[in-house]
Amino acid sequence: MADDILRKLKAIPLHRVNSSAIEAMGFDEKQRMLVVVFQGGGTKYGYPHLSDEEIKGLLAVMVNHESLGHYVATVVKPNHDHERVQMAG
């Protein structure tokens, strides 16, 4: 999906993360969508249809205090189209 598509989602809790590239993240289980707010941007981007392997990798990165920005940039972004998303109140 192109960046100009705005998908409206039910409220997904976003959690601040310790990252120089990413301000906050959340996950919608139904759509298997990672929602990312990059530092300084404020716009929410959704990366839908993450595989089990990608989700496990993301969790491993978080548990091991590795670079979330690097994981999103090298694993998630190249394999998933992104969408701008808007959360319902």
Side-chain angles (χ1 to χ4, degrees):
M1 310 248 160
D3 179 42
D4 60 344
I5 293 176
L6 180 64
R7 182 187 291 216
K8 293 189 179 187
L9 298 174
K10 65 180 175 109
I12 297 170
L14 296 177
H15 305 280
R16 290 198 177 276
V17 294
N18 186 16
S19 170
S20 61
I22 298 172
E23 182 178 323
M25 294 173 52
F27 190 73
D28 179 78
E29 290 183 44
K30 183 176 181 180
Q31 297 182 59
R32 301 176 65 92
M33 178 183 287
L34 177 66
V35 177
V36 177
V37 181
F38 292 99
Q39 290 286 357
T43 302
K44 297 168 186 76
Y45 293 96
Y47 299 90
H49 312 297
L50 266 64
S51 68
D52 288 342
E53 182 177 309
E54 290 166 327
I55 293 167
K56 288 177 187 174
L58 181 62
L59 293 173
V61 165
M62 294 172 76
V63 167
N64 295 315
H65 304 285
E66 297 171 1
S67 173
L68 286 170
H70 183 262
Y71 187 83
V72 170
T74 60
V75 176
V76 176
K77 288 174 83 171
N79 295 306
H80 298 275
D81 291 332
H82 66 277
E83 306 170 4
R84 289 185 302 140
V85 296
Q86 179 180 357
M87 308 291 187

